[in-house]
Amino acid sequence: MVRIQLLQQSTNIAKLPCAEGAAHNDWLRQHDDHCLQDTRVELRKQIMDWCDDPNSKCIFWLNGMAGTGKSTISRTIARELAEKKRLAASFFFTRGKKDISHSRMFFTTIAAQLANSLPVLRPFISDAIDNNPAIFRQGLREQWNQLILSPLKSAPTQSIQLVVVIDALDECDSMEDIQLILQLIEEAKDLDTVRIKIFLTSRPEIPIFDGFHQLSGEAYRDFILHNIPLDTVNADISTFFLQKLSPLKAKHGLATPWPDEQTVEQLVERAAGLFIYAATTLRFIRDGINGPEEQLSLILTSTKSSLSATEHLDGIYTTLLQQSVLGRRGYQECEQLAEWFRQVVGSIVVMFNTMPARNLAQLLQMPFNMISRTLNSLRSVLHVPEDESQPVRLFHLSFRDFLQDSQRCSDSRFQIDEKARHASLFRRCMSHISQLQENICDLWGPGVLVTEIPNDTIQKCIPSHIQYACHYWFDHWRLGNPVEEDIKTIREFLEQHFLHWLEGLSLIGEVSNGAHMIIALEEILSVS
């Protein structure tokens, strides 16, 4: 009997939709940076003391400007907590990355991780699923109450304190959802059976400030990362440069000392408190087309030392693009390379999900060697995996911000027109999904369940770039520069391929999203 119950619990827990890439130790994050041992020492101690103090406030909000190292600190804290068996769950929001750019799987993912980290919760979470099989399609409040709060209240009293790590809440795509999440997690402060705390990071954006200010002052404490004394931050950045550049000296047989003390001081001064500047500078020196000495020289001569932190970051991004993308080529070739950059990187910047380079080439209908050449020149700002089955992604959101702001990106050849890129991607998507046809997987009967179809069969018949097109064509059209010709294209598509598209959506498990798209499309066209 007990074995049957345990099996039923495992079956139910396995039904919980989990966001790919959410956890701090997800495979896709295995190469992401953590704090060096001798950096952020005092801050990390404060956070861990808060975790250990049974009387501390329920929520620790670490807020800071872009590039100040919030996610690196989150990964480090999550790893330390996991090593101590104190991590309840982790969710790292990432803009432009399908499941972790929104909140639809937020609480179900947290619940699944809680069931693993605290097995005493498993029967209560399983019962919640049995009692309400539709919970996965219901709102955040219902999911929080039934899958997390109620099981935590029902569980036997535990002396241990566990921590949920939520990183980059500002990268969730709905400000209304962000504020609701804050309201809901505040309720964890009243738990007296299992003590759960929340470590949360975000940029200091107004909707998040407003959300916190609506909470009880007893619920949270905040720490403003960019208010740490600059001398302390500079010491950490200096340690970063010394430890990370040292291996290059041995690898390339450079003279000692390299870099010298004065050069490190210049680099630290240009970083102006931004760890993303330091990390990007390191990758530019390490992965550039020239040797480390010449790459370092380019950094030091490209910007003035009296600029602000953001201006220094913009300066290194501009230098990096001009050097890595264009180099010393002639005018005509530079124009062509810049156009490739705008098509390839501009698409990565606005896309709603990441994908491998080969799938990106198929989506954009560009030769793979053209895509590969563009991406390989930008390894300082893009994560381009050696494993071609893994997606290409931005190292940091600040690069996206820079490219989309004409005031910051002073070289117009690299400026990304967001609406133009969405419009271009919409037309590429329509080109692909217009190739869909009836019974595209050549199924053996009309009543076949999707679960009976091998995944590799679906992937072969509806590859990743077509799946992306099925899922996101409407969003690209909505956010682009729609013209009458585009509406005509949509009308023809719906007349000729509507059922084929629904079949494709059903095969990839996205029919509900298709229904939402049609409803939203009807509303927009009715208004227009």
Side-chain angles (χ1 to χ4, degrees), residues 143-173:
Q143 292 183 2
W144 162 258
N145 285 330
Q146 297 178 40
L147 294 174
I148 298 177
L149 188 62
S150 180
L152 285 170
K153 287 181 175 179
S154 303
T157 301
Q158 301 283 309
S159 59
I160 191 171
Q161 296 186 92
L162 298 178
V163 181
V164 175
V165 174
I166 304 171
D167 183 65
L169 182 60
D170 55 290
E171 294 189 32
C172 177
D173 63 9

PDB file of all heavy atoms in Angstrom, residues 143-173:
ATOM      1  N   GLN A 143      -2.072  28.604  -7.823  1.00  0.00           N
ATOM      2  CA  GLN A 143      -0.905  27.719  -7.787  1.00  0.00           C
ATOM      3  C   GLN A 143      -0.101  27.912  -6.511  1.00  0.00           C
ATOM      4  O   GLN A 143       0.349  26.936  -5.891  1.00  0.00           O
ATOM      5  CB  GLN A 143      -0.035  27.959  -9.022  1.00  0.00           C
ATOM      6  CG  GLN A 143      -0.686  27.509 -10.317  1.00  0.00           C
ATOM      7  CD  GLN A 143       0.218  27.688 -11.513  1.00  0.00           C
ATOM      8  OE1 GLN A 143       1.358  28.122 -11.399  1.00  0.00           O
ATOM      9  NE2 GLN A 143      -0.290  27.348 -12.695  1.00  0.00           N
ATOM     10  N   TRP A 144       0.089  29.157  -6.106  1.00  0.00           N
ATOM     11  CA  TRP A 144       0.817  29.427  -4.870  1.00  0.00           C
ATOM     12  C   TRP A 144       0.091  28.824  -3.664  1.00  0.00           C
ATOM     13  O   TRP A 144       0.702  28.126  -2.847  1.00  0.00           O
ATOM     14  CB  TRP A 144       0.998  30.934  -4.692  1.00  0.00           C
ATOM     15  CG  TRP A 144       1.346  31.372  -3.305  1.00  0.00           C
ATOM     16  CD1 TRP A 144       0.509  31.927  -2.383  1.00  0.00           C
ATOM     17  CD2 TRP A 144       2.631  31.272  -2.663  1.00  0.00           C
ATOM     18  NE1 TRP A 144       1.182  32.202  -1.213  1.00  0.00           N
ATOM     19  CE2 TRP A 144       2.490  31.805  -1.348  1.00  0.00           C
ATOM     20  CE3 TRP A 144       3.875  30.790  -3.051  1.00  0.00           C
ATOM     21  CZ2 TRP A 144       3.552  31.862  -0.447  1.00  0.00           C
ATOM     22  CZ3 TRP A 144       4.936  30.851  -2.149  1.00  0.00           C
ATOM     23  CH2 TRP A 144       4.773  31.377  -0.873  1.00  0.00           C
ATOM     24  N   ASN A 145      -1.194  29.071  -3.571  1.00  0.00           N
ATOM     25  CA  ASN A 145      -1.952  28.604  -2.408  1.00  0.00           C
ATOM     26  C   ASN A 145      -2.014  27.091  -2.330  1.00  0.00           C
ATOM     27  O   ASN A 145      -1.831  26.501  -1.256  1.00  0.00           O
ATOM     28  CB  ASN A 145      -3.379  29.176  -2.436  1.00  0.00           C
ATOM     29  CG  ASN A 145      -3.416  30.646  -2.052  1.00  0.00           C
ATOM     30  OD1 ASN A 145      -2.584  31.111  -1.281  1.00  0.00           O
ATOM     31  ND2 ASN A 145      -4.373  31.380  -2.595  1.00  0.00           N
ATOM     32  N   GLN A 146      -2.276  26.433  -3.462  1.00  0.00           N
ATOM     33  CA  GLN A 146      -2.528  24.990  -3.434  1.00  0.00           C
ATOM     34  C   GLN A 146      -1.254  24.159  -3.528  1.00  0.00           C
ATOM     35  O   GLN A 146      -1.162  23.096  -2.887  1.00  0.00           O
ATOM     36  CB  GLN A 146      -3.490  24.614  -4.571  1.00  0.00           C
ATOM     37  CG  GLN A 146      -4.868  25.267  -4.421  1.00  0.00           C
ATOM     38  CD  GLN A 146      -5.801  24.930  -5.565  1.00  0.00           C
ATOM     39  OE1 GLN A 146      -5.837  23.799  -6.038  1.00  0.00           O
ATOM     40  NE2 GLN A 146      -6.573  25.912  -6.025  1.00  0.00           N
ATOM     41  N   LEU A 147      -0.281  24.610  -4.317  1.00  0.00           N
ATOM     42  CA  LEU A 147       0.919  23.796  -4.546  1.00  0.00           C
ATOM     43  C   LEU A 147       2.046  24.102  -3.575  1.00  0.00           C
ATOM     44  O   LEU A 147       2.935  23.269  -3.373  1.00  0.00           O
ATOM     45  CB  LEU A 147       1.432  23.989  -5.975  1.00  0.00           C
ATOM     46  CG  LEU A 147       0.520  23.482  -7.097  1.00  0.00           C
ATOM     47  CD1 LEU A 147       1.101  23.867  -8.454  1.00  0.00           C
ATOM     48  CD2 LEU A 147       0.353  21.966  -7.006  1.00  0.00           C
ATOM     49  N   ILE A 148       2.034  25.280  -2.955  1.00  0.00           N
ATOM     50  CA  ILE A 148       3.166  25.668  -2.113  1.00  0.00           C
ATOM     51  C   ILE A 148       2.729  26.049  -0.700  1.00  0.00           C
ATOM     52  O   ILE A 148       3.134  25.411   0.283  1.00  0.00           O
ATOM     53  CB  ILE A 148       3.951  26.833  -2.767  1.00  0.00           C
ATOM     54  CG1 ILE A 148       4.517  26.380  -4.123  1.00  0.00           C
ATOM     55  CG2 ILE A 148       5.082  27.297  -1.844  1.00  0.00           C
ATOM     56  CD1 ILE A 148       5.243  27.453  -4.890  1.00  0.00           C
ATOM     57  N   LEU A 149       1.893  27.070  -0.566  1.00  0.00           N
ATOM     58  CA  LEU A 149       1.569  27.569   0.771  1.00  0.00           C
ATOM     59  C   LEU A 149       0.838  26.526   1.614  1.00  0.00           C
ATOM     60  O   LEU A 149       1.211  26.264   2.770  1.00  0.00           O
ATOM     61  CB  LEU A 149       0.733  28.848   0.654  1.00  0.00           C
ATOM     62  CG  LEU A 149       0.485  29.583   1.970  1.00  0.00           C
ATOM     63  CD1 LEU A 149       1.807  30.054   2.570  1.00  0.00           C
ATOM     64  CD2 LEU A 149      -0.455  30.765   1.760  1.00  0.00           C
ATOM     65  N   SER A 150      -0.210  25.921   1.058  1.00  0.00           N
ATOM     66  CA  SER A 150      -0.961  24.932   1.828  1.00  0.00           C
ATOM     67  C   SER A 150      -0.111  23.719   2.217  1.00  0.00           C
ATOM     68  O   SER A 150      -0.143  23.283   3.379  1.00  0.00           O
ATOM     69  CB  SER A 150      -2.193  24.490   1.032  1.00  0.00           C
ATOM     70  OG  SER A 150      -2.942  23.532   1.745  1.00  0.00           O
ATOM     71  N   PRO A 151       0.679  23.130   1.281  1.00  0.00           N
ATOM     72  CA  PRO A 151       1.570  22.038   1.691  1.00  0.00           C
ATOM     73  C   PRO A 151       2.556  22.445   2.782  1.00  0.00           C
ATOM     74  O   PRO A 151       2.832  21.664   3.700  1.00  0.00           O
ATOM     75  CB  PRO A 151       2.299  21.677   0.396  1.00  0.00           C
ATOM     76  CG  PRO A 151       1.323  22.025  -0.683  1.00  0.00           C
ATOM     77  CD  PRO A 151       0.653  23.266  -0.194  1.00  0.00           C
ATOM     78  N   LEU A 152       3.093  23.672   2.708  1.00  0.00           N
ATOM     79  CA  LEU A 152       4.036  24.122   3.736  1.00  0.00           C
ATOM     80  C   LEU A 152       3.342  24.246   5.091  1.00  0.00           C
ATOM     81  O   LEU A 152       3.922  23.918   6.135  1.00  0.00           O
ATOM     82  CB  LEU A 152       4.643  25.466   3.339  1.00  0.00           C
ATOM     83  CG  LEU A 152       5.707  25.424   2.226  1.00  0.00           C
ATOM     84  CD1 LEU A 152       6.054  26.828   1.747  1.00  0.00           C
ATOM     85  CD2 LEU A 152       6.969  24.711   2.698  1.00  0.00           C
ATOM     86  N   LYS A 153       2.087  24.698   5.091  1.00  0.00           N
ATOM     87  CA  LYS A 153       1.339  24.818   6.344  1.00  0.00           C
ATOM     88  C   LYS A 153       0.968  23.448   6.911  1.00  0.00           C
ATOM     89  O   LYS A 153       0.877  23.272   8.123  1.00  0.00           O
ATOM     90  CB  LYS A 153       0.070  25.636   6.116  1.00  0.00           C
ATOM     91  CG  LYS A 153       0.305  27.126   5.920  1.00  0.00           C
ATOM     92  CD  LYS A 153      -1.018  27.857   5.720  1.00  0.00           C
ATOM     93  CE  LYS A 153      -0.826  29.352   5.634  1.00  0.00           C
ATOM     94  NZ  LYS A 153      -2.112  30.079   5.408  1.00  0.00           N
ATOM     95  N   SER A 154       0.762  22.477   6.007  1.00  0.00           N
ATOM     96  CA  SER A 154       0.300  21.151   6.438  1.00  0.00           C
ATOM     97  C   SER A 154       1.437  20.241   6.875  1.00  0.00           C
ATOM     98  O   SER A 154       1.200  19.244   7.578  1.00  0.00           O
ATOM     99  CB  SER A 154      -0.471  20.476   5.293  1.00  0.00           C
ATOM    100  OG  SER A 154      -1.556  21.274   4.873  1.00  0.00           O
ATOM    101  N   ALA A 155       2.633  20.559   6.473  1.00  0.00           N
ATOM    102  CA  ALA A 155       3.770  19.678   6.754  1.00  0.00           C
ATOM    103  C   ALA A 155       4.093  19.653   8.242  1.00  0.00           C
ATOM    104  O   ALA A 155       3.846  20.636   8.961  1.00  0.00           O
ATOM    105  CB  ALA A 155       4.994  20.149   5.975  1.00  0.00           C
ATOM    106  N   PRO A 156       4.639  18.542   8.739  1.00  0.00           N
ATOM    107  CA  PRO A 156       5.073  18.489  10.142  1.00  0.00           C
ATOM    108  C   PRO A 156       6.130  19.554  10.407  1.00  0.00           C
ATOM    109  O   PRO A 156       6.879  19.942   9.515  1.00  0.00           O
ATOM    110  CB  PRO A 156       5.664  17.077  10.263  1.00  0.00           C
ATOM    111  CG  PRO A 156       5.078  16.304   9.129  1.00  0.00           C
ATOM    112  CD  PRO A 156       4.854  17.281   8.020  1.00  0.00           C
ATOM    113  N   THR A 157       6.171  20.029  11.625  1.00  0.00           N
ATOM    114  CA  THR A 157       7.121  21.079  11.986  1.00  0.00           C
ATOM    115  C   THR A 157       8.554  20.621  11.728  1.00  0.00           C
ATOM    116  O   THR A 157       8.945  19.512  12.095  1.00  0.00           O
ATOM    117  CB  THR A 157       6.962  21.456  13.468  1.00  0.00           C
ATOM    118  OG1 THR A 157       5.623  21.895  13.682  1.00  0.00           O
ATOM    119  CG2 THR A 157       7.932  22.567  13.846  1.00  0.00           C
ATOM    120  N   GLN A 158       9.330  21.487  11.087  1.00  0.00           N
ATOM    121  CA  GLN A 158      10.734  21.201  10.783  1.00  0.00           C
ATOM    122  C   GLN A 158      11.600  22.296  11.405  1.00  0.00           C
ATOM    123  O   GLN A 158      11.265  23.474  11.344  1.00  0.00           O
ATOM    124  CB  GLN A 158      10.960  21.202   9.264  1.00  0.00           C
ATOM    125  CG  GLN A 158      10.119  20.176   8.512  1.00  0.00           C
ATOM    126  CD  GLN A 158      10.664  18.780   8.656  1.00  0.00           C
ATOM    127  OE1 GLN A 158      11.850  18.545   8.424  1.00  0.00           O
ATOM    128  NE2 GLN A 158       9.812  17.848   9.024  1.00  0.00           N
ATOM    129  N   SER A 159      12.717  21.929  11.983  1.00  0.00           N
ATOM    130  CA  SER A 159      13.595  22.921  12.614  1.00  0.00           C
ATOM    131  C   SER A 159      14.482  23.628  11.594  1.00  0.00           C
ATOM    132  O   SER A 159      15.004  24.701  11.856  1.00  0.00           O
ATOM    133  CB  SER A 159      14.476  22.237  13.664  1.00  0.00           C
ATOM    134  OG  SER A 159      15.264  21.204  13.060  1.00  0.00           O
ATOM    135  N   ILE A 160      14.642  23.051  10.426  1.00  0.00           N
ATOM    136  CA  ILE A 160      15.533  23.616   9.416  1.00  0.00           C
ATOM    137  C   ILE A 160      14.902  24.828   8.737  1.00  0.00           C
ATOM    138  O   ILE A 160      13.677  24.912   8.607  1.00  0.00           O
ATOM    139  CB  ILE A 160      15.894  22.548   8.355  1.00  0.00           C
ATOM    140  CG1 ILE A 160      17.020  23.045   7.455  1.00  0.00           C
ATOM    141  CG2 ILE A 160      14.673  22.180   7.519  1.00  0.00           C
ATOM    142  CD1 ILE A 160      17.563  21.976   6.531  1.00  0.00           C
ATOM    143  N   GLN A 161      15.738  25.779   8.335  1.00  0.00           N
ATOM    144  CA  GLN A 161      15.294  26.932   7.549  1.00  0.00           C
ATOM    145  C   GLN A 161      15.829  26.767   6.126  1.00  0.00           C
ATOM    146  O   GLN A 161      17.037  26.629   5.925  1.00  0.00           O
ATOM    147  CB  GLN A 161      15.831  28.236   8.137  1.00  0.00           C
ATOM    148  CG  GLN A 161      15.306  28.542   9.523  1.00  0.00           C
ATOM    149  CD  GLN A 161      15.755  29.915   9.978  1.00  0.00           C
ATOM    150  OE1 GLN A 161      15.071  30.896   9.774  1.00  0.00           O
ATOM    151  NE2 GLN A 161      16.924  29.985  10.585  1.00  0.00           N
ATOM    152  N   LEU A 162      14.931  26.801   5.157  1.00  0.00           N
ATOM    153  CA  LEU A 162      15.320  26.664   3.762  1.00  0.00           C
ATOM    154  C   LEU A 162      15.129  27.987   3.031  1.00  0.00           C
ATOM    155  O   LEU A 162      14.329  28.828   3.445  1.00  0.00           O
ATOM    156  CB  LEU A 162      14.499  25.564   3.084  1.00  0.00           C
ATOM    157  CG  LEU A 162      14.666  24.148   3.648  1.00  0.00           C
ATOM    158  CD1 LEU A 162      13.755  23.178   2.910  1.00  0.00           C
ATOM    159  CD2 LEU A 162      16.114  23.694   3.562  1.00  0.00           C
ATOM    160  N   VAL A 163      15.854  28.143   1.926  1.00  0.00           N
ATOM    161  CA  VAL A 163      15.844  29.407   1.185  1.00  0.00           C
ATOM    162  C   VAL A 163      15.490  29.150  -0.273  1.00  0.00           C
ATOM    163  O   VAL A 163      16.016  28.225  -0.896  1.00  0.00           O
ATOM    164  CB  VAL A 163      17.211  30.112   1.272  1.00  0.00           C
ATOM    165  CG1 VAL A 163      17.179  31.451   0.513  1.00  0.00           C
ATOM    166  CG2 VAL A 163      17.615  30.333   2.731  1.00  0.00           C
ATOM    167  N   VAL A 164      14.597  29.976  -0.811  1.00  0.00           N
ATOM    168  CA  VAL A 164      14.294  29.995  -2.243  1.00  0.00           C
ATOM    169  C   VAL A 164      15.057  31.175  -2.850  1.00  0.00           C
ATOM    170  O   VAL A 164      14.954  32.301  -2.360  1.00  0.00           O
ATOM    171  CB  VAL A 164      12.786  30.160  -2.499  1.00  0.00           C
ATOM    172  CG1 VAL A 164      12.507  30.301  -3.995  1.00  0.00           C
ATOM    173  CG2 VAL A 164      12.013  28.983  -1.922  1.00  0.00           C
ATOM    174  N   VAL A 165      15.813  30.919  -3.901  1.00  0.00           N
ATOM    175  CA  VAL A 165      16.574  31.968  -4.584  1.00  0.00           C
ATOM    176  C   VAL A 165      15.846  32.338  -5.876  1.00  0.00           C
ATOM    177  O   VAL A 165      15.619  31.475  -6.726  1.00  0.00           O
ATOM    178  CB  VAL A 165      18.017  31.506  -4.888  1.00  0.00           C
ATOM    179  CG1 VAL A 165      18.753  32.558  -5.720  1.00  0.00           C
ATOM    180  CG2 VAL A 165      18.773  31.231  -3.600  1.00  0.00           C
ATOM    181  N   ILE A 166      15.479  33.605  -5.998  1.00  0.00           N
ATOM    182  CA  ILE A 166      14.817  34.114  -7.209  1.00  0.00           C
ATOM    183  C   ILE A 166      15.702  35.209  -7.788  1.00  0.00           C
ATOM    184  O   ILE A 166      15.901  36.249  -7.159  1.00  0.00           O
ATOM    185  CB  ILE A 166      13.419  34.680  -6.895  1.00  0.00           C
ATOM    186  CG1 ILE A 166      12.554  33.631  -6.204  1.00  0.00           C
ATOM    187  CG2 ILE A 166      12.749  35.183  -8.167  1.00  0.00           C
ATOM    188  CD1 ILE A 166      11.228  34.189  -5.674  1.00  0.00           C
ATOM    189  N   ASP A 167      16.224  34.982  -8.969  1.00  0.00           N
ATOM    190  CA  ASP A 167      17.143  35.950  -9.572  1.00  0.00           C
ATOM    191  C   ASP A 167      16.483  36.697 -10.730  1.00  0.00           C
ATOM    192  O   ASP A 167      15.718  36.125 -11.500  1.00  0.00           O
ATOM    193  CB  ASP A 167      18.396  35.228 -10.097  1.00  0.00           C
ATOM    194  CG  ASP A 167      19.416  36.192 -10.670  1.00  0.00           C
ATOM    195  OD1 ASP A 167      19.954  37.004  -9.905  1.00  0.00           O
ATOM    196  OD2 ASP A 167      19.658  36.156 -11.894  1.00  0.00           O
ATOM    197  N   ALA A 168      16.808  37.988 -10.826  1.00  0.00           N
ATOM    198  CA  ALA A 168      16.394  38.843 -11.956  1.00  0.00           C
ATOM    199  C   ALA A 168      14.876  38.871 -12.135  1.00  0.00           C
ATOM    200  O   ALA A 168      14.373  38.678 -13.244  1.00  0.00           O
ATOM    201  CB  ALA A 168      17.088  38.404 -13.242  1.00  0.00           C
ATOM    202  N   LEU A 169      14.160  39.133 -11.059  1.00  0.00           N
ATOM    203  CA  LEU A 169      12.707  39.198 -11.152  1.00  0.00           C
ATOM    204  C   LEU A 169      12.261  40.237 -12.176  1.00  0.00           C
ATOM    205  O   LEU A 169      11.214  40.087 -12.810  1.00  0.00           O
ATOM    206  CB  LEU A 169      12.107  39.511  -9.778  1.00  0.00           C
ATOM    207  CG  LEU A 169      10.585  39.564  -9.687  1.00  0.00           C
ATOM    208  CD1 LEU A 169       9.961  38.222 -10.074  1.00  0.00           C
ATOM    209  CD2 LEU A 169      10.131  39.980  -8.299  1.00  0.00           C
ATOM    210  N   ASP A 170      13.056  41.280 -12.379  1.00  0.00           N
ATOM    211  CA  ASP A 170      12.702  42.326 -13.349  1.00  0.00           C
ATOM    212  C   ASP A 170      12.666  41.820 -14.781  1.00  0.00           C
ATOM    213  O   ASP A 170      12.105  42.478 -15.657  1.00  0.00           O
ATOM    214  CB  ASP A 170      13.695  43.487 -13.260  1.00  0.00           C
ATOM    215  CG  ASP A 170      15.139  43.040 -13.437  1.00  0.00           C
ATOM    216  OD1 ASP A 170      15.654  42.367 -12.527  1.00  0.00           O
ATOM    217  OD2 ASP A 170      15.748  43.325 -14.480  1.00  0.00           O
ATOM    218  N   GLU A 171      13.252  40.640 -15.043  1.00  0.00           N
ATOM    219  CA  GLU A 171      13.268  40.097 -16.399  1.00  0.00           C
ATOM    220  C   GLU A 171      12.038  39.240 -16.698  1.00  0.00           C
ATOM    221  O   GLU A 171      11.918  38.683 -17.792  1.00  0.00           O
ATOM    222  CB  GLU A 171      14.559  39.313 -16.649  1.00  0.00           C
ATOM    223  CG  GLU A 171      15.785  40.211 -16.632  1.00  0.00           C
ATOM    224  CD  GLU A 171      17.056  39.519 -17.077  1.00  0.00           C
ATOM    225  OE1 GLU A 171      16.969  38.609 -17.929  1.00  0.00           O
ATOM    226  OE2 GLU A 171      18.135  39.880 -16.582  1.00  0.00           O
ATOM    227  N   CYS A 172      11.132  39.119 -15.722  1.00  0.00           N
ATOM    228  CA  CYS A 172       9.814  38.528 -15.991  1.00  0.00           C
ATOM    229  C   CYS A 172       9.043  39.498 -16.871  1.00  0.00           C
ATOM    230  O   CYS A 172       9.071  40.715 -16.647  1.00  0.00           O
ATOM    231  CB  CYS A 172       9.080  38.283 -14.683  1.00  0.00           C
ATOM    232  SG  CYS A 172       7.406  37.636 -14.884  1.00  0.00           S
ATOM    233  N   ASP A 173       8.354  38.992 -17.894  1.00  0.00           N
ATOM    234  CA  ASP A 173       7.807  39.869 -18.934  1.00  0.00           C
ATOM    235  C   ASP A 173       6.521  40.593 -18.565  1.00  0.00           C
ATOM    236  O   ASP A 173       5.990  41.364 -19.358  1.00  0.00           O
ATOM    237  CB  ASP A 173       7.612  39.100 -20.240  1.00  0.00           C
ATOM    238  CG  ASP A 173       6.596  37.964 -20.113  1.00  0.00           C
ATOM    239  OD1 ASP A 173       5.928  37.879 -19.067  1.00  0.00           O
ATOM    240  OD2 ASP A 173       6.489  37.161 -21.060  1.00  0.00           O
TER     241      ASP A 173
END
